[in-house]
Amino acid sequence: MNVPYLDISTQTRLIRPALDQAIGDVLDSGSFVLGPHVTAFEHEFGSALGGIGAVACNSGTSALHLILKALGIGPGDEVVTVSMTFAATVAAVLYTGATPVVVDIDPDSWTMDPEQLRGAISAKTRAVIPVHLHGRIADMASICDIADAAGVPVIEDAAQAHLAHRGDQYAGSFGLAAAFSFYPGKNLGALGEGGAVVSRDAQLLKDVARLRDWGTDYKYDHQTLGFNYRMDGIQGAVLSVKLGFLSEWTHERVRKAIVYEDLRSKPGLSLPMLDTTGGHSYHVYSILVRDPERLGEELARLGISTGRHYPVPVHLQQAYRGAVQPIGDLRRTVEFARSCLSLPLYPELSDPQQEYVIKQLDHLLGAQ
Ligand SMILES: *Cc1c(COP(=O)(O)O)cnc(C)c1O
């Protein structure tokens, strides 16, 4: 049996007529950059997150960069985040000239440890960026309390957390603003690059929208140095179609994550902490094992593809070492990076495919 790590072509095939229709509409409209399809998607996405404002842009990285720029963050400032994330979180801070200060993760949730955050805040701290790693919402109550007490805004990196929620509150609505990514492999993926900033702060969104489009409110009237970070019309139209399925797809991810719970009794591996609120979006389903490289290779020989998110923490990467200020030894981050292995989990993963993954894992772990 063959079990790919991701299967975007199956998802595309299943909704192909609706995608063709949406793309056709954009071709007819001639609105290829921003325009009515992008505006409609912004409204729909904001509504899906419980009624919040949204500004669409060309990637999750741009979304983070735009929020930081709109807050006026730059050289001499510090932004506290984590090292167990995709490099974009840290890169966006570096793009502004500010210094990323990275703290360790909590051993259970694998997201920012609030106590570590407390110790990292200095007079130079201008923002805190928790990452909802794998789609699990970070401890936002504690993080927001600590940041509020220091008078520092919280920016959520929600690139992996579309529709993740705590009670009736969605990821992206806990802090001052949040960044989402619509990279094709994300839970809500465009047919190319895409991202969005969401916030309840209308002025902040207005500033973000201006910076996204060359720093202008009116054509050729440049008030501030902006960027070309606009979303394509086709991506807006396609994302509107896919957003209609997102709740169902997220439900399927959660259902499959519960099936993986069968592995909890097996020796030699740790599973993600159970999210008893059911609000995890399971962008990634990562297990911790002693030798993930070897287990990944053995699974690959059996036709099962896996991933690693992420095998090298950002502060230890060649491009970031020196530019990033770590707080302490980031022991748990390093340990997590050494042990993590991501299993196939997506709405289109069939029950027989998942049973096969569990059976082979069971067998391999028993033999170790
Ligand atoms: C994907 C991702 C980003 C960047 O999004 P892009 O759309 O690829 O630029 C940022 N942060 C995290 C945690 C991500 O997973």
Side-chain angles (χ1 to χ4, degrees):
M1 190 177 297
N2 185 39
V3 187
Y5 179 68
L6 250 185
D7 186 3
I8 296 174
S9 49
T10 295
Q11 179 180 89
T12 308
R13 186 159 42 74
L14 290 171
I15 59 168
R16 182 67 190 263
L19 294 178
D20 283 341
Q21 174 73 48
I23 293 167
D25 288 348
V26 178
L27 297 186
D28 290 339
S29 77
S31 289
F32 296 145
V33 177
L34 296 178
H37 300 96
V38 171
T39 304
F41 170 68
E42 290 174 334
H43 287 299
E44 291 157 14
F45 190 60
S47 301
L49 298 183
I52 194 170
V55 170
C57 61
N58 64 345
S59 76
T61 309
S62 300
L64 285 165
H65 190 197
L66 286 168
I67 298 168
L68 293 165
K69 289 301 280 187
L71 292 174
I73 290 170
D77 297 333
E78 292 178 357
V79 176
V80 184
T81 186
V82 286
S83 189
M84 181 41 62
T85 181
F86 179 60
T89 320
V90 174
V93 176
L94 289 171
Y95 294 163
T96 68
T99 302
V101 174
V102 294
V103 299
D104 214 349
I105 51 174
D106 167 80
D108 296 321
S109 70
W110 308 337
T111 58
M112 179 181 276
D113 180 343
E115 284 315 308
Q116 295 287 319
L117 164 64
R118 200 191 297 279
I121 289 182
S122 79
K124 292 182 184 169
T125 308
R126 294 288 311 279
V128 176
I129 313 182
V131 177
H132 303 317
L133 191 75
H134 301 171
R136 187 193 174 84
I137 299 184
D139 181 355
M140 295 308 288
S142 306
I143 290 168
C144 290
D145 276 353
I146 294 164
D148 282 352
V152 169
V154 175
I155 302 166
E156 300 170 67
D157 183 336
Q160 307 187 350
H162 315 75
L163 296 193
H165 59 93
R166 275 280 147 76
D168 54 9
Q169 194 173 357
Y170 286 98
S173 64
F174 290 88
L176 174 65
F180 282 89
S181 165
F182 307 120
Y183 181 74
K186 296 287 158 79
N187 288 18
L188 176 60
L191 302 184
E193 306 280 355
V197 172
V198 304
S199 179
R200 287 209 183 83
D201 185 323
Q203 184 57 48
L204 179 73
L205 285 180
K206 209 166 161 237
D207 294 342
V208 162
R210 187 190 296 120
L211 288 167
R212 154 190 78 169
D213 191 13
W214 287 113
T216 59
D217 284 328
Y218 306 100
K219 226 171 191 172
Y220 311 128
D221 174 22
H222 300 265
Q223 293 108 28
T224 36
L225 181 64
F227 305 91
N228 179 355
Y229 281 176
R230 299 170 298 218
M231 177 177 274
D232 290 345
I234 285 181
Q235 303 309 346
V238 159
L239 286 166
S240 284
V241 169
K242 289 195 168 191
L243 183 59
F245 295 93
L246 187 58
S247 178
E248 188 186 313
W249 288 338
T250 307
H251 188 78
E252 273 303 298
R253 285 178 184 271
V254 173
R255 191 176 73 77
K256 288 175 207 311
I258 292 169
V259 173
Y260 275 138
E261 275 295 311
D262 277 358
L263 291 166
R264 197 171 288 281
S265 60
K266 304 291 176 280
L269 91 174
S270 308
L271 296 188
M273 181 188 183
L274 251 187
D275 192 333
T276 48
T277 66
H280 197 311
S281 69
Y282 290 108
H283 172 58
V284 167
Y285 191 92
S286 191
I287 61 172
L288 303 185
V289 291
R290 207 173 47 80
D291 192 347
E293 289 291 342
R294 197 179 107 198
L295 186 58
E297 280 163 22
E298 286 170 341
L299 287 166
R301 270 199 288 281
L302 296 161
I304 300 165
S305 301
T306 53
R308 301 206 54 214
H309 305 89
Y310 294 91
V312 182
V314 180
H315 74 289
L316 299 179
Q317 301 265 357
Q318 171 98 35
Y320 297 91
R321 241 184 279 148
V324 172
Q325 193 182 307
I327 299 292
D329 58 8
L330 304 187
R331 188 171 47 81
R332 297 189 204 119
T333 295
V334 171
E335 180 54 34
F336 180 87
R338 196 182 291 143
S339 326
C340 64
L341 183 72
S342 313
L343 304 182
L345 185 145
Y346 37 93
E348 300 76 22
L349 179 72
S350 72
D351 291 345
Q353 280 177 314
Q354 193 178 14
E355 280 157 25
Y356 178 72
V357 174
I358 291 174
K359 193 167 141 238
Q360 297 307 330
L361 261 176
D362 206 14
H363 176 72
L364 290 171
L365 290 165
Q368 270 187 356

